[in-house]
Amino acid sequence: MHYQDARLSLADLCAAGLRLRSIEAVTIVREVALQVARGDVAGVPSPHVIRIAASGAVTIEGPVAAGGHL
């Protein structure tokens, strides 16, 4: 995997001791909520499957239990 393609989960970032600023946390939550509202994600994902790319893109990679709509 190239550095530009690197994606880390929120759980990995937390385990590494990274603390998000308020604006960063709100931006991630907003993007995840939009993906859930659009139906791109079946339910609310856990921090283990929410991935942040080096570009700042937020993706969901992994299983998400259905039914956890916002």
Side-chain angles (χ1 to χ4, degrees):
M1 180 181 297
H2 296 188
Y3 175 74
Q4 292 90 350
D5 298 334
R7 293 182 207 98
L8 295 172
S9 73
L10 286 181
D12 292 339
L13 294 173
C14 182
L18 180 80
R19 294 184 55 104
L20 297 175
R21 293 179 296 168
S22 298
I23 190 69
E24 295 165 334
V26 168
T27 300
I28 292 167
V29 169
R30 180 182 183 277
E31 179 57 31
V32 171
L34 287 171
Q35 289 183 30
V36 172
R38 284 192 308 258
D40 296 343
V41 181
V44 179
S46 74
H48 297 283
V49 298
I50 299 172
R51 305 271 178 179
I52 310 298
S55 67
V58 177
T59 59
I60 309 302
E61 298 178 359
V64 177
H69 297 290
L70 299 175

